[in-house]
Amino acid sequence: KRLAVFPVWSRYVASMTRLCRSWMRSSLVFVLVVSVLPAVIVGILYCALSVSILYGLLGLLWAILILLTTLSPIKQVFDCDDGYFSVSYFFAPFFWFVLLGPFGAVMYAVTVLLQQSDDEEIVSMTTRLLSYYDIIPVKLLGLSFALVGHFSSVFTYWFDHILSGPGLNQAFLSQCFSHVIEFDQKEEACVRRQLIVRSIIIWLAVTAIVLVF
């Protein structure tokens, strides 16, 4: 199911696919070029705006603007039936933004959009890359579920499977969620929404603490 997310980058991906895919045969090269090129440009602009221009204020505003273009609206995250949607369209791009700045967020968002391609080779390559891009965000989100859900049950599973490979990302997160559900009498959709809201609050709080100190 294709959803209306990352509209700015969707147009970019569509244009690059139309212009470059016919002569750029290697799916790996194509995916890396298309995802890294805008990330580098955005990163360079961020660095330029952060150097002594209004004490870095313009750089900060630019970074926030770019972050907003790489995150799905919260309502869409809540309403989507796919439990992994929140990773691909919110938590993972936010993680890469915190780690690498605008460069990381854009690179990740464009890679996610390339996964929606009609080209099977591109879909296969992006799926493989995203499994590695997602592995740390998924583990952190699972830990968030433990902190805001049923701690002992979720954390026990989380600790026992923390070294699970990238191919098990979705299964790992699904099991963390299941360990919360079994101790909660509310509807599954309601529990999922509460977990996402509380996890977002934790991620924002931790990010703020890290930035301050």
Side-chain angles (χ1 to χ4, degrees):
K1 181 180 180 179
R2 299 189 180 189
L3 299 169
V5 292
F6 311 156
V8 173
W9 306 113
S10 294
R11 290 191 288 272
Y12 162 76
V13 168
S15 298
M16 289 297 288
T17 301
R18 185 172 61 256
L19 294 173
C20 302
R21 181 53 177 163
S22 60
W23 56 270
M24 201 176 291
R25 295 297 182 181
S26 170
S27 57
L28 175 60
V29 172
F30 176 78
V31 170
L32 291 178
V33 168
V34 173
S35 61
V36 171
L37 179 60
V40 169
I41 295 174
V42 164
I44 291 174
L45 287 173
Y46 169 70
C47 292
L49 292 172
S50 298
V51 179
S52 301
I53 300 180
L54 296 179
Y55 301 98
L57 178 60
L58 289 182
L60 176 61
L61 293 176
W62 174 251
I64 293 174
L65 176 63
I66 293 301
L67 175 62
L68 293 177
T69 68
T70 62
L71 298 180
S72 173
I74 297 296
K75 186 178 185 302
Q76 204 169 50
V77 174
F78 289 159
D79 294 342
C80 186
D81 294 331
D82 182 0
Y84 203 76
F85 182 87
S86 64
V87 175
S88 300
Y89 292 96
F90 192 90
F91 290 102
F94 184 82
F95 167 83
W96 286 108
F97 175 82
V98 172
L99 189 66
L100 299 177
F103 173 91
V106 171
M107 180 189 69
Y108 183 89
V110 172
T111 305
V112 168
L113 288 172
L114 285 168
Q115 194 179 30
Q116 299 179 3
S117 172
D118 294 325
D119 187 319
E120 292 183 3
E121 290 185 8
I122 293 177
V123 172
S124 176
M125 182 55 63
T126 53
T127 299
R128 192 180 314 169
L129 287 173
L130 287 171
S131 68
Y132 288 96
Y133 293 169
D134 287 347
I135 191 167
I136 298 178
V138 163
K139 297 300 190 296
L140 292 176
L141 186 56
L143 181 59
S144 301
F145 286 179
L147 294 174
V148 302
H150 193 277
F151 182 81
S152 60
S153 177
V154 180
F155 185 77
T156 299
Y157 175 84
W158 182 87
F159 187 79
D160 289 342
H161 297 82
I162 190 172
L163 297 180
S164 60
L168 298 174
N169 285 337
Q170 294 194 37
F172 174 86
L173 195 63
S174 177
Q175 284 300 313
C176 287
F177 178 68
S178 296
H179 282 279
V180 177
I181 286 291
E182 66 181 69
F183 290 97
D184 201 310
Q185 303 301 317
K186 299 177 183 177
E187 293 183 3
E188 182 175 323
C190 181
V191 175
R192 182 176 67 245
R193 177 172 294 193
Q194 289 181 345
L195 283 176
I196 292 174
V197 170
R198 293 170 183 173
S199 297
I200 289 174
I201 293 173
I202 285 181
W203 282 46
L204 292 176
V206 172
T207 301
I209 293 172
V210 171
L211 292 176
V212 169
F213 295 100

